[in-house]
Amino acid sequence: MRGKKHTGRAAVARPFSSPQPEIPHSPEAEKAALGCLMLAGTGGSVAEVDAILEQMSPRLLYLEAHQMILSAVVSLRQGKHGVDLVTVGQKLKEAGNLEAMGGLVYLSEAMDLTPSMLNFPTYLDTLQTMALRRWTLAKRERLNVLATAEGLTLDQIREEFDEISDTA
């Protein structure tokens, strides 16, 4: 049995680097939650649209296109307008965002993807979980900065920890 030939040179050390985590999000759950909004509006229930909107916030959505759709729906409701494929599409078009996200086809797909508004709590749970994971990653980065920052006083570090704890 032959072993490796020893050259007398030390192996080159590779610096330790942890892989960058994938940003936690669920495009399908985001799209389906927006589909619930569209279905509620298409069904003519302003109360259901408003009930869903009370539980939604932009921080729950990772994809910019989905944040734009939510913003359009919120804007429509603030103006006491109905929510449906046409009104949301028009609002996005006015803002110059409709074509960038795939047009009315994209909005229609959100509705088609969603079997029922009754599934909204499941989608919301997924969105909240993903948002909390993104928040945790952001705080991890902040803690890394604190751990290596020179010149911070104990009070400054405690203040940062208190802020993280309060927002958790």
Side-chain angles (χ1 to χ4, degrees):
M1 185 166 139
R2 295 163 75 176
K4 284 188 176 181
K5 186 176 179 183
H6 183 64
T7 62
R9 291 183 282 173
V12 176
R14 293 188 180 134
F16 175 77
S17 65
S18 59
Q20 290 298 321
E22 184 176 316
I23 303 298
H25 69 291
S26 173
E28 299 82 11
E30 289 184 17
K31 199 171 188 179
L34 294 169
C36 288
L37 275 169
M38 302 291 289
L39 288 174
T42 300
S45 177
V46 172
E48 286 178 339
V49 171
D50 291 344
I52 292 172
L53 280 177
E54 284 179 18
Q55 300 173 72
M56 294 287 292
S57 73
R59 73 172 181 78
L60 294 177
L61 304 172
Y62 176 73
L63 297 176
E64 185 177 8
H66 296 161
Q67 293 172 359
M68 288 187 271
I69 293 168
L70 180 62
S71 177
V73 172
V74 168
S75 178
L76 285 166
R77 289 304 304 133
Q78 286 174 341
K80 305 293 184 205
H81 299 286
V83 172
D84 59 38
L85 184 65
V86 175
T87 57
V88 174
Q90 185 60 38
K91 195 64 153 170
L92 290 167
K93 186 176 182 180
E94 289 170 6
N97 296 326
L98 183 62
E99 295 309 315
M101 69 179 59
L104 288 177
V105 171
Y106 191 82
L107 291 175
S108 180
E109 287 173 355
M111 293 172 67
D112 293 342
L113 173 71
T114 309
S116 167
M117 291 181 319
L118 298 176
N119 295 349
F120 179 73
T122 302
Y123 307 138
L124 181 62
D125 183 60
T126 299
L127 298 181
Q128 290 171 333
T129 299
M130 294 297 139
L132 181 58
R133 289 179 180 180
R134 289 191 301 273
W135 179 87
T136 302
L137 287 173
K139 295 307 168 190
R140 179 187 77 175
E141 292 302 319
R142 181 66 188 142
L143 289 172
N144 282 339
V145 169
L146 289 174
T148 57
E150 293 186 25
L152 285 179
T153 66
L154 182 59
D155 287 338
Q156 289 171 315
I157 294 172
R158 282 187 178 142
E159 190 175 304
E160 289 278 347
F161 275 109
D162 287 345
E163 182 181 320
I164 290 171
S165 176
D166 290 344
T167 57

